[in-house]
Amino acid sequence: MQGIVFALFSGLFIALQGIFNARLGDAVGPWLSVTIVHFVGLMGCLLIYGFVRDRKIGGFRKLPLIYASGGLLGVLVVVTELTSIQLLGMTWAMSLLLVAQILCAFVIDLNGWFGVIKKSSNRGQWVGVGLMLTGVLIFSLA
């Protein structure tokens, strides 16, 4: 149940972040916007880490370096998200973003990439993917 609550809040935060980033991008441009967003995020994280200290920093040395590139992916997420919202509008951009995210997660699960436990698919999942794509198509034509 806790995972469901966190996932729902994450979806809420992604939608709010997208529109806030798009408005900031309108005002200062996409790259300065991304810089501001990540700087504010860094300050927030450092503040929280100062109180929580949930893990030791030495654990970082045990991971392959590629996992540290999540911050760069975050930069790409923010700039592509704010640009898509500016060009397409909030709902259309979020629809495509969610479809891309679900399809990518599905492929990662199927192949067991990045240390994720490999999972087999079933007919219901493929039907779900088809229904999702059909829903976005209907949404776009409406």
Side-chain angles (χ1 to χ4, degrees):
M1 182 66 179
Q2 189 178 19
I4 293 170
V5 171
F6 273 90
L8 292 173
F9 272 109
S10 180
L12 170 70
F13 297 148
I14 288 170
L16 291 174
Q17 179 192 27
I19 197 65
F20 290 2
N21 292 346
R23 296 296 69 87
L24 184 59
D26 288 340
V28 300
W31 292 108
L32 182 55
S33 171
V34 171
T35 303
I36 293 168
V37 164
H38 281 84
F39 180 75
V40 170
L42 173 65
M43 294 299 106
C45 286
L46 289 174
L47 180 69
I48 292 168
Y49 183 74
F51 291 104
V52 175
R53 297 197 188 254
D54 53 349
R55 297 274 192 252
K56 293 183 179 176
I57 199 162
F60 179 74
R61 292 185 207 112
K62 298 175 186 174
L63 284 173
L65 192 57
I66 190 170
Y67 294 118
S69 68
L72 179 58
L73 293 174
V75 167
L76 297 174
V77 166
V78 172
V79 78
T80 56
E81 178 186 48
L82 76 87
T83 304
S84 67
I85 290 170
Q86 289 170 335
L87 296 173
L88 301 172
M90 183 68 176
T91 306
W92 181 225
M94 283 293 131
S95 297
L96 293 174
L97 182 147
L98 290 173
V99 167
Q101 189 173 3
I102 291 169
L103 289 175
C104 183
F106 188 53
V107 170
I108 290 170
D109 270 348
L110 288 177
N111 292 293
W113 293 339
F114 310 112
V116 173
I117 296 171
K118 188 174 184 176
K119 296 179 182 153
S120 58
S121 63
N122 60 49
R123 188 175 306 165
Q125 290 171 321
W126 288 103
V127 169
V129 167
L131 287 172
M132 181 180 59
L133 294 172
T134 302
V136 170
L137 180 65
I138 291 169
F139 180 83
S140 69
L141 298 175

